[in-house]
Amino acid sequence: MMAFHGKPHQRWRLAFIAVYFTKILDSLTKKILEKNIPLLGPAILRSPSYTSIDVQDLLVSDPNGEDDDDHQPHLHLPFLNIDQKMLTEMVRDKDYERLRQFGGIKQLLAVLETEEESGINGKEADLLHRRDVFGSNEYRRPPKKAFFRFVLEAFNDTIIIILMGCAILSLGFGIKQHGVVDGWYDGGSIVIAIFLVIIVSSVSNFRQSRQFQKLSSETSDIKVQVVRQGRRQPVSIFQLVVGDIVCLNIGDQVPADGVLVEGHSLKVDESSMTGESDHVDIDEKDNPFLFSGSKISDGFGTMVVTSVGMNTAWGEMMSSIRRELDEQTPLQTRLDKLASSIGKLGLAVALIVLVVLLVRYFTGNTVGDDGKKEFNGRKTNMDKVMDSVVRIVSAAVTIVVVAIPEGLPLAVTLTLAYSMKRMMADQAMVRKLSACETMGSATTICTDKTGTLTLNKMKVVEFWLGKEVIEDDTYLGIAPTVLQLLQQGVGLNTTGSVCKLPSTSVPEITGSPTEMAILTWAVVDLGMDIDEQKQSCEILHVEAFNSEKKRSGVLARRVSDRAIQTHWKGAAEMILAMCSHYFDKGGLTKVMDDDTRMRFGGIIKDMAAKSLRCIAFVYKQVPQENGQSHEKLEETGMTLLGLIGLKDPCRPGVRRAVEECKDAGVQIKMITGDNIFTARAIAMECGILKPDEDLNNAVVEGITFRNYSEEERMEKIEMIRVMARSSPFDKLLMVQSLKQKGHVVAVTGDGTNDAPALKEADIGLSMGIQGTEVAKESSDIVILDDNFTSVVTVLRWGRCVFNNIQKFIQFQLTVNVAALSINFVAAVSAGDVPLTAVQLLWVNLIMDTLGALALATERPTNDLLKKPPVGRTKPLISNVMWRNLLAQAFYQVAVLLILQFKGMDIFKVDEKVKNTLIFNTFVLSQVFNEFNARHMEKKNVFQGILKNRLFLGIIGFTIVLQVVMVEFLKKFANTERLNWGQWGACIGIAALSWPIAWLVKCIPVSEKQFLTFWKASV
């Protein structure tokens, strides 16, 4: 019975729910029609196929906060009636009509449940719900390149293709001569060598690609200033949500699509989206729409986020772009040329050996194991002739294989990948690989002052009102009118903010370091209430601060009496030139005559001499003009309100870092916007200037530098140490002039206007903390801690990269010269080669893969900064390297030739053991020479050896593998077991390379380049 009645019961229940829900929908429809609030316009509320109904009224908590049985709390789910597509299209099409359908910007804020002043509530539940409804601010990244793709790319390398051809030939010849069982060894060993090189290269490139993607993600993780819960706070760009109020300043990247809420003199560069180079004016009336990915080129303001992630045009575009690490650095290009030159030389030697051996064989000068001639004209069996020819061709192929330096590209890849990873730990994020090596060639560093040489922790330490300095106990004596004007001058003319937190009595102050220092002084010492100042005045026009004018201004109307005032603040001597009057402490206005102007000029110089940054505040009452709009700020006839001096201490260790650069032969030039006296004082404090130096030529102002003739500029540029009151154009001109003089120039910058100089420089170094996104995108390396000592660390790493590559080249060329020489001489004289294909490829493996790992991962030392810069055109193979490698190669060739021709008599052994002794001595010589390669000029090659555990591990691993090759892989490696005495002899002969290296390093080298052929090649 229960089963029989179950179904009808369920049907009645469903019918009841359907009827009840329909009635609710009907009542809600009537409510909406009664309210007649076009929140989202007719385009959203109605469509031909359905009617949207706002069910929010039933999904709210009880207004009285009573959650009892009669007043149950309801779930509040906002944004159910918002069409994301409409929001996206509104900004994308710059559709002002659609914005009006929302009810304008104010109503849009209400729809998105955000406040202009306090932003969204910022609670975790609210943020999660916004992400669920509108999406997160991330774009779909293209699929990562799989490991197999790197393997295929490695196979496509020209060197690998040549080696594969050699392997096929060797396999064919070997099987033809010795059969399948024993004939695969030589060809198989080449295949194994190829496999190892491909695997190591692929793993290295794969790891470097993943590392680069990680760095790319970190580069993209921009900090954005948003207002949440009434507080201005930095959040990751990826944490941004629709409804967020974002604060925008010059140089910022617009983090998402949005609509301007409030802005002043706002201009954006939309070239990344539209391709148009002209900057676009943004304002609330005509064009309030902001595209994600565009850059703020002027002004400041706030915007409300309307679309994020894949709902923006920027997100769609970025998701289709695959950013891969495929740039070819200058060093890699030079190494490719070097590898090509070595390969050509090896091919030439192989051809000579092939011709000589064929001539010796067919003229009857080649003797077999039985002491008889191998070729007797027509009497010789054709199969034997073919076997002999195959053996000769195989020997030539072996020489080609050992001559091809497939380890060179691997070495530079390992070095660059290793240095990138280590530099990240040392507070430097590499954006362009070529910067790693170029920094080692830098001859001049042009650096900012604020935040790079100094701590960028500003504090007002001196305040002058009129001709009187105001001490802590005399602030109370300031006239109320002057105090009010000062408070207005600070509170209205600022891009910073002051937030009063209920949990603490100390307000939270945000903004640039300069703005924070001024606001802190105004709040603490002047008793300013910033909210009161903003409510008492209506801002009519704003002139944003920029690097050229070095000032910012505001035009405001007082609410109480409708009086209009202009306020300026900025570089003291520039602002002073705008003044005709000044206030004294008592509030009296006085005329500023020439003597008074000189007195104020002296006060500014005195503050600058104490390394203080001097800021002036001025104001002017603007006469009322009927019917005229005020858009231009007065710049003459101003009244001086006061002068403040901000102290920004030098960073600890910066003086030592400057001295290290000078010892390294790198010039330091400080380029700053501060006045000439402050700049000179800071330069003295940092060690850039010496007290006994000719300061007339060493310190120059930007305007003087740009007005030089080209000849004067070229003549004086070497002597200039400090450029004060410089504009971004002056900085660019300095970089261009230095490059014309042949310098390799590194430039630090943090502002948007520094972008041209950062791009023009050989190495652009942007600041990670204070740097704008425009500056970072224009740079090659981002200094994460804004510290000059990190710039010196980058210099040290740059030299280390170049030095490590040179070590490896020296090591590899030694092996190449020795191996080619011994096989060439033996082949020409005896008609046979002592080192087989398997043995030479094993040496090749030690030389290329393990050698690259060992030598490419040496960490930088301070000794690198005791040498002059490498220079832009210095050859890869220096005279010192030639001296070292030729000495070792001659020694190895001499020893191996003695063993080749006299080894059986000396050790009383047979041919096979003699060849094993040659092979073992040759390999151990490379092991000992690897220690010599660690230091090209230093006699003590063991210095710092214990710090490089990887090097010691590779040496140990190589020795173990060599023992296995000789003692256990007799058939594969064509070796015989050696007794203890023979092992001792091999080790002793190889160890002699250490004292030889010590003696050779006593030989001085000429400055004139040795072997011009190699100079031209590399």
Side-chain angles (χ1 to χ4, degrees), residues 723-761:
M723 186 158 68
R725 283 290 176 242
S726 65
S727 69
F729 173 77
D730 300 326
K731 197 172 193 176
L732 177 61
L733 190 60
M734 170 71 83
V735 174
Q736 290 170 338
S737 301
L738 286 166
K739 288 180 74 174
Q740 283 177 24
K741 289 280 282 185
H743 285 272
V744 179
V745 186
V747 169
T748 68
D750 54 11
T752 303
N753 291 327
D754 288 329
L758 289 167
K759 285 183 177 177
E760 180 68 26

Side-chain angles (χ1 to χ4, degrees), residues 977-1004:
R977 286 192 170 186
L978 302 179
N979 59 38
W980 287 106
Q982 290 163 348
W983 269 101
C986 293
I987 293 169
I989 293 168
L992 280 174
S993 66
W994 284 350
I996 288 169
W998 191 90
L999 290 170
V1000 165
K1001 287 173 184 176
C1002 297
I1003 302 170

Side-chain angles (χ1 to χ4, degrees), residues 313-326:
W314 176 258
E316 289 178 15
M317 184 177 73
M318 291 302 290
S319 67
S320 64
I321 296 173
R322 182 192 290 274
R323 208 176 154 204
E324 291 294 345
L325 192 61
D326 56 359

Side-chain angles (χ1 to χ4, degrees), residues 19 22 132 144 206 249 260 264 275 285 327 331 419 431 504 598 615 645 703 705 761 764 803 812 847 853 873 893 995:
V19 171
T22 305
D132 288 340
K144 295 176 181 178
F206 177 74
N249 287 298
L260 184 70
H264 302 286
K285 294 180 181 178
E327 76 170 292
L331 185 58
S419 62
R431 297 186 76 253
T504 175
M598 286 182 65
I615 305 287
I703 190 169
F705 181 74
N803 195 50
Q812 185 173 42
M847 175 180 70
L853 272 171
T873 56
V893 170

Side-chain angles (χ1 to χ4, degrees), residues 669 676 694-724 729-730 733-734 737 740:
K669 296 184 188 295
I676 198 164
D694 179 11
L695 298 182
N696 292 327
N697 291 319
V699 184
V700 67
E701 286 192 323
I703 190 169
T704 308
F705 181 74
R706 82 178 78 113
N707 288 333
Y708 283 149
S709 66
E710 191 169 343
E711 292 76 17
E712 282 182 298
R713 202 178 295 123
M714 288 296 147
E715 181 186 339
K716 296 183 177 182
I717 197 166
E718 298 284 0
M719 295 182 283
I720 295 172
R721 295 282 179 274
V722 176
M723 186 158 68
F729 173 77
D730 300 326
L733 190 60
M734 170 71 83
S737 301
Q740 283 177 24

Side-chain angles (χ1 to χ4, degrees), residues 248-252 254 266-268 294-299 752:
L248 301 171
N249 287 298
I250 294 178
D252 287 350
V254 179
L266 200 64
K267 289 179 182 288
V268 299
S294 55
K295 310 289 190 305
I296 306 299
S297 57
D298 198 7
T752 303

Side-chain angles (χ1 to χ4, degrees), residues 6 76 135 223 225 261 292 298 313 349 352 408 426 466 490 589 592 636 644 672 724 767 804 887 911 926 973 982 993:
H76 176 52
K223 292 298 177 186
Q225 291 287 333
V261 176
S292 175
D298 198 7
V349 171
I352 293 170
L408 275 178
D426 288 342
V490 174
T589 306
M592 189 181 294
T636 57
I644 59 170
T672 178
M767 300 297 115
N804 284 351
E911 181 80 20
Q926 310 322 315
Q982 290 163 348
S993 66

